[in-house]
Amino acid sequence: MTPGQPAASEQLLRKEMALLTAEFATEQALVSLRQAVRDGRTADIAQWAALATEAVMEAVRLVEVPAESAGAFTTSRDLVINALDVMAKAVEADDADGVVSRGELVGDAVANFAVFLKGFQS
């Protein structure tokens, strides 16, 4: 270990703390997203869907996915991105029903991806 650099255990601890923070942020954004969907608050749905996606993507950065799971990882990640894109189109079209239904799909995709990522924690 060189002076000024954290030990490997400290680096691992920092990574674990960052991952826990990303997971907590994902969970909290999903709770708020689901409440906004139940209430039909389209502006809040768009906001929480984006935040939930951002939080789960932060977890992606911190998890090491083995090569044999790369295909499933890519599929799960793409489902999140595609669901968010479709919801954004509903927002642009001012389609309130579409925002609600697609916001729910974003929540499901993010939740499923978060569960998938949990399987790769160190």
Side-chain angles (χ1 to χ4, degrees), residues 33-110:
L33 173 58
R34 289 189 174 115
Q35 185 62 51
V37 166
R38 277 191 296 277
D39 296 343
R41 298 186 327 261
T42 56
D44 290 340
I45 292 169
Q47 173 191 352
W48 289 115
L51 286 170
T53 300
E54 184 178 326
V56 80
M57 292 304 173
E58 179 62 20
V60 165
R61 189 181 68 76
L62 299 165
V63 173
E64 294 177 24
V65 177
E68 62 269 11
S69 298
F73 168 83
T74 300
T75 299
S76 295
R77 183 198 61 209
D78 290 351
L79 286 172
V80 171
I81 293 167
N82 291 338
L84 187 64
D85 287 346
V86 170
M87 192 209 60
K89 289 177 183 167
V91 169
E92 289 172 13
D94 202 24
D95 175 7
D97 290 337
V99 171
V100 171
S101 64
R102 285 158 181 90
E104 190 170 14
L105 291 175
V106 171
D108 291 345
V110 168

